[in-house]
Amino acid sequence: MNTESNGGLGVVNEEAPQPAQPLGSRAPQFVKRSRPLHLSWQVGVFVVGLAVVIAGIIMLPLPGPGWLVIFAGMAIWATEFVWAQLVLRWTKRKVTEAAQKALDPKVRRRNIILTVIGLVIIAAGVAVYVWKFGFEMPWNVNE
C-alpha cells in the first residue's frame, strides 16, 4: 500500500499500482555467488524452458493445452532471463486488455450475433446435405 503525505497525515491510496517484481535472476544466492554454477543454472533453466515450449508447440495442432504449456515454458525462462520477463509482462498486459474489451457489452453483443449467424449457416449446410444425401458419410456418397 502506498501512502501519500497530506498535511502530516498518512493517507492510504488504494488506487496506486503495486510495484512490479524487479527484473533479473531469481536463482538462489549460493548459485549466484559462483559464476560457473550460475552459468550452468542458466543453461539448465534454458533447456528445461525450451523443452516445455517445444512440447507446447507440438500440442498446438494436437490435443492438449498448447498455449498454456508455451506460457508455462516462458514462465520457466522468466525465472532467469530478463527478456522472458518482459515478454510475459507484455503478454499479461495484452491478455488483460483483451479480457476487458471482451467484457464490453457492444463487443459481446457483436460476438454473439456473429456466432449465431455462423451456427445458422452451418446448420443450413448440414440440413441441405442430409436432405440431399441422407445420413451417409461424404466419402461413401455415390452420385
Side-chain angles (χ1 to χ4, degrees), residues 54-70:
I54 289 173
I57 291 171
I58 291 170
M59 286 184 203
L60 287 176
L62 300 174
W67 284 110
L68 183 65
V69 173
I70 290 172

Side-chain angles (χ1 to χ4, degrees), residues 30-43:
F30 75 92
V31 171
K32 288 182 184 178
R33 273 186 248 142
S34 169
R35 175 95 174 119
L37 187 57
H38 192 230
L39 186 59
S40 52
W41 177 274
Q42 286 180 325
V43 169

Side-chain angles (χ1 to χ4, degrees), residues 60-120:
L60 287 176
L62 300 174
W67 284 110
L68 183 65
V69 173
I70 290 172
F71 290 131
M74 289 296 296
I76 291 170
W77 280 339
T79 64
E80 198 57 36
F81 302 108
V82 173
W83 61 267
Q85 293 168 1
L86 295 173
V87 168
L88 277 181
R89 284 183 183 178
W90 178 84
T91 304
K92 286 178 186 178
R93 188 173 64 248
K94 290 299 179 183
V95 167
T96 302
E97 290 172 7
Q100 291 300 319
K101 188 175 181 182
L103 294 175
D104 180 28
K106 290 180 183 177
V107 174
R108 288 185 61 168
R109 190 175 317 117
R110 182 199 65 202
N111 290 346
I112 290 171
I113 290 170
L114 289 175
T115 302
V116 168
I117 290 171
L119 289 174
V120 166

